[in-house]
Amino acid sequence: MKPVQDALNAILDTAKPVSATETLPLMQAHQRVLAAAQTSPVDVPPADNSAMDGYVFCTSDYNGEQQQWFEISQRIPAGTAPQRLEPGTAARIFTGSEIPEGANCVVMQEHCETEDNRVRVPGGKPVNNNIRPRGQDIRQGAEVVSPGDRLTPQALGLLASVGVAEVPVYRRLKVAILSTGDELVEPGETLAKGQIYNSNRYLLAGLLDKMGIQAIDLGRVEDTPEATLKALSRATLEADVILSTGGVSVGEEDHIKGAVEKLGELQLWRMAIKPGKPLAFGRVGDTPFFGLPGNPVSTFVTFLLFARPYLQKMQGLEPRLPQGIEMPASFERRKKSIRQEYVRVQVDDAGKMHHHPNQSSGVLSSTAWANALAVVPADTEISEGDPVRVIRYDQLF
Ligand code: AMP
Ligand code: MG
């Protein structure tokens, strides 16, 4: 049996990132992967500006007298260009307004007293403050987003803040999904005897969507060599990567292995992982191929552990298999196993772990209930309270 990390390394070695790029307006670039460094053509903020609504002074105009009055010589709403501050006067200023030349101090309006067109600071001489200096956020020429970064909402905001209107990104990855199994029917249809609903199709479509990948849904594939060959061949025409579920064992009704061997090359591993069954990886023609197990819980876990990092690398991202953080186990494992186990757990708001009572790989509801996977390494005994690594879903998708 192959350890998880060995299999992942072997798979990742073969992943070739997409090289084609396109230029997109910022508004359409969310989730995409940046293809070239973006630097700032400006300082942000572009000028010293006020952090408060209040009055702006020059501290050297203070004559030392506590109650010195200053004439208000101009009003500077945000978005306007200020005049130089006339010596000995103050100006009305608002949050974000530019500090006029010759001024160096904003006093918040709550600390000022006004009368007619005059202002004074009863608290005494103000100190130099409440000014957000030019370039404090970003300096002109600084790299704000790096190639290979995913464009998160924060990154989009940052790019907008430096005036970048469009960005070069890698083209979107297209991944075909095939659900093998004569027993599968679609939600909305009526179940006949012997049939079950196709859940993997929707599970994978959602996981791919979360990654910003375009799913090419090829639906259900009958358990025959002909149908399998046909579906796989078709997938190579449309997709960068092919994912299938089920039919990957070596039973009479499992046709993935034979079909992939005919059309390309296959590596089939018995993975030292629970839940999980054989995982197939290879290529159909030149298109990379993953044969995930049919069991939906196994599909979920093997997708996250193997397909996801591979797809990340193809997208132009740094592939990541998060290591998680250690926390006390809510469960025990008295018998050592040769398989690394991924236990569906919930980490509550207080940071305490709870495990789903049914860890059977047929229980998809455990994955929906959970918000994290606790990792029990191979050959390890766990008592309640022992530290185990926990990978939260939000680190996985
Ligand atoms: P297989 O590897 O094809 O023998 O499938 C293993 C188990 O997963 C069987 O119980 C299948 O019925 C089930 N299974 C396979 N594909 C799906 C699917 N798309 N949705 C739900 N269950 C599935
Ligand atoms: Mg099957």
Side-chain angles (χ1 to χ4, degrees), residues 139-370:
R139 287 256 165 234
Q140 184 180 359
E143 185 166 311
V144 286
V145 189
S146 306
D149 282 356
R150 190 186 277 293
L151 295 174
T152 58
Q154 312 88 285
L156 294 180
L158 193 61
L159 288 162
S161 80
V162 305
V164 169
E166 43 179 43
V167 279
V169 296
Y170 292 110
R171 78 162 170 77
R172 243 180 127 193
L173 211 59
K174 290 180 281 190
V175 175
I177 330 174
L178 285 71
S179 317
T180 76
D182 284 344
E183 72 278 32
L184 303 176
V185 297
E186 294 306 314
E189 292 172 15
T190 311
L191 281 186
K193 206 147 182 51
Q195 296 182 324
I196 60 167
Y197 288 118
N198 182 355
S199 45
N200 286 337
R201 183 180 176 194
Y202 302 86
L203 176 65
L204 287 179
L207 287 166
L208 292 173
D209 189 55
K210 276 264 184 190
M211 294 184 70
I213 291 172
Q214 183 186 342
I216 298 176
D217 176 21
L218 297 183
R220 183 185 71 111
V221 181
E222 278 171 47
D223 288 324
T224 65
E226 300 73 36
T228 310
L229 285 167
K230 201 169 143 207
L232 287 172
S233 303
R234 182 175 157 212
T236 60
L237 302 178
E238 301 183 41
D240 299 307
V241 180
I242 304 168
L243 299 182
S244 71
T245 60
V248 81
S249 303
V250 288
E252 286 141 47
E253 297 293 335
D254 298 321
H255 303 290
I256 286 290
K257 189 169 179 281
V260 175
E261 273 166 349
K262 219 174 219 166
L263 298 172
E265 195 184 300
L266 185 78
Q267 283 170 295
L268 183 68
W269 291 306
R270 277 175 50 71
M271 301 291 304
I273 174 183
K274 183 183 175 186
K277 270 194 162 181
L279 174 77
F281 175 72
R283 55 180 179 80
V284 179
D286 289 326
T287 309
F289 166 80
F290 283 86
L292 303 177
N295 204 305
V297 183
S298 308
T299 299
F300 179 72
V301 170
T302 52
F303 176 91
L304 293 176
L305 296 183
F306 301 104
R308 181 173 179 269
Y310 185 91
L311 295 172
Q312 283 177 321
K313 187 169 169 192
M314 281 198 72
Q315 286 180 297
L317 294 164
E318 188 69 38
R320 268 178 33 86
L321 182 55
Q323 297 308 298
I325 52 160
E326 274 191 352
M327 54 191 300
S330 63
F331 54 86
E332 56 171 33
R333 289 289 178 273
R334 284 275 167 240
K335 237 179 69 200
K336 287 185 187 175
S337 162
I338 49 168
R339 295 154 86 192
Q340 177 149 304
E341 186 183 354
Y342 291 83
V343 182
R344 273 79 68 213
V345 301
Q346 238 183 44
V347 179
D348 66 23
D349 288 345
K352 194 169 178 309
M353 182 195 301
H354 310 270
H355 57 281
H356 194 275
N358 193 340
Q359 293 289 328
S360 155
S361 57
V363 176
L364 187 56
S365 48
S366 68
T367 65
W369 173 87

